[in-house]
Amino acid sequence: MKHSQKKSPSGDEMRIYISPIMFAMALYFVAARMAYEFCCSLAAVLLHECAHARVAKKLGYELNVIKLMPYGAALCGDVDLRPKHEVLIALAGPIFNLFIAVVIAAVWWFLPSSYMFTQAFCFCNVYIGLFNFLPVYPLDGGRVLLAVLSGRVKRKNAYRIMRIVSIVFGLIAVALFILSAFGSFNLCLLSVGLFMTVSAFIPDDRARYRALFAVGNRAERLKTPLEMRSYAVSSHAILADVCGALDPDRYTEFTVVDDNMNEHGRFTETQLIDAVKKYGYSESVEKIRN
C-alpha cells in the first residue's frame, strides 16, 4: 500500500514558530551576560531540527515546521511515519549534533586559537546530542524506543512502557538534584527531572492522529492477521467521538442505528478517515452516509 502524506502548500519552505516565552528567556540570558551561550544553544537546536527535516525529506516526508519552545524544539508535519523511518529521522538530529562537535574539536587541533570562540557552541552540540539519546519520550531516544516497541507490541502498550521509562528517568534526575544539595544545588537536574516526569503524564498531541491515520504502520502489520471489531453508533454522533474508538492495532467498522436501534447503514474505518479529512472532526456521522 502506498504511504500517504499531506503536503503543505509552501513546498520546501521551512517555517519557524517561536514561543513568546523564548523572548523572555533571551532577555534573561542577555541580562545574565550569557547572550553568546544562548545564541549557541539556539543554533545547535535549529541545526538539530534541520537534520531531522533533511532525513525526513530524503525518505519522502515533509516536516517543515519548527516550533521553538522553552524546553526545546519540535519538528512538525502532517504525516504518519513508518516505524523504521521514525527511527532514522529521530537519530538524525543528535547524530548531527555530535558530528558538529567532532568537527569543531578537529578544528581545535589545527587552530588552537579558535577554542575560545567555539567552545560554547561545541559543548551545546554535545549536550543536546547526548541528552536527546535518552530513551525518554518525547526526546529522540524515546521516539526510537517507541518506534521499536510499536513494531513488537500494540501501540497503546508501547506508550505505556514509554511512560514508565520516562517516570523512572525523571525520578532519577530529581533524586540526583536532592543529592546535589549536599554540595551545590543543580537546578538543571530538577528542571530535567520535572520535564521527564511531566511528559509521562501528558499525552502525545499526535496520539489521536496516529490512531486515525496509522495506515503505514498497520500495513506493515498486515503480514499477520489484523483483528477486526464492530461498533454501533448514532447518525448524530460527532466524528471526533467516533474516532475515539479507533485503534491502530485493529481495523474497525461501524453500524449506524436510530434511537430504536434499527440499522440504517454501515461505514468502515477508511470511510471515517476520509470524512475527517474532508469535513473535520466536528461534523456528524450523517456526513459519511451522504
Side-chain angles (χ1 to χ4, degrees), residues 4 209 212-213 215 272-280:
S4 62
Y209 186 88
L212 182 59
F213 298 99
V215 178
L272 173 61
I273 292 173
D274 292 338
V276 170
K277 289 180 178 179
K278 185 175 181 179
Y279 304 112

Side-chain angles (χ1 to χ4, degrees), residues 276-290:
V276 170
K277 289 180 178 179
K278 185 175 181 179
Y279 304 112
Y281 284 103
S282 60
E283 291 291 348
S284 68
V285 169
E286 193 68 33
K287 281 288 185 180
I288 301 179
R289 298 180 62 205
N290 293 336

Side-chain angles (χ1 to χ4, degrees), residues 152-223:
R152 299 174 182 272
V153 300
K154 295 178 180 179
R155 188 75 174 187
K156 63 180 181 181
N157 292 334
Y159 272 111
R160 186 177 297 115
I161 294 172
M162 283 307 311
R163 288 190 179 97
I164 295 174
V165 173
S166 297
I167 292 172
V168 170
F169 273 84
L171 293 178
I172 290 175
V174 172
L176 291 175
F177 163 73
I178 295 174
L179 291 176
S180 71
F182 295 98
S184 59
F185 277 109
N186 190 328
L187 292 177
C188 181
L189 285 173
L190 177 62
S191 61
V192 168
L194 292 176
F195 165 73
M196 293 178 178
T197 305
V198 171
S199 295
F201 295 97
I202 298 179
D204 179 20
D205 61 359
R206 287 185 52 79
R208 182 170 66 173
Y209 186 88
R210 286 186 178 278
L212 182 59
F213 298 99
V215 178
N217 185 31
R218 196 163 53 236
E220 290 188 354
R221 302 193 68 169
L222 275 174
K223 296 174 183 177

Side-chain angles (χ1 to χ4, degrees), residues 76-191:
C76 307
D78 292 334
V79 296
D80 176 48
L81 304 177
R82 295 174 183 266
K84 60 183 180 181
H85 290 171
E86 187 170 12
V87 171
L88 295 175
I89 294 171
L91 290 176
I95 288 177
F96 188 59
N97 283 129
L98 296 180
F99 172 76
I100 292 174
V102 170
V103 171
I104 294 176
V107 172
W108 292 345
W109 180 267
F110 296 101
L111 296 172
S113 59
S114 65
Y115 178 82
M116 63 180 297
F117 302 106
T118 56
Q119 176 189 9
F121 185 55
C122 180
F123 288 169
C124 284
N125 277 282
V126 171
Y127 169 76
I128 292 173
L130 294 180
F131 180 69
N132 273 279
F133 272 127
L134 292 176
V136 176
Y137 198 81
L139 300 179
D140 295 321
R143 293 186 180 277
V144 170
L145 181 57
L146 180 61
V148 173
L149 290 173
S150 296
R152 299 174 182 272
V153 300
K154 295 178 180 179
R155 188 75 174 187
K156 63 180 181 181
N157 292 334
Y159 272 111
R160 186 177 297 115
I161 294 172
M162 283 307 311
R163 288 190 179 97
I164 295 174
V165 173
S166 297
I167 292 172
V168 170
F169 273 84
L171 293 178
I172 290 175
V174 172
L176 291 175
F177 163 73
I178 295 174
L179 291 176
S180 71
F182 295 98
S184 59
F185 277 109
N186 190 328
L187 292 177
C188 181
L189 285 173
L190 177 62
S191 61

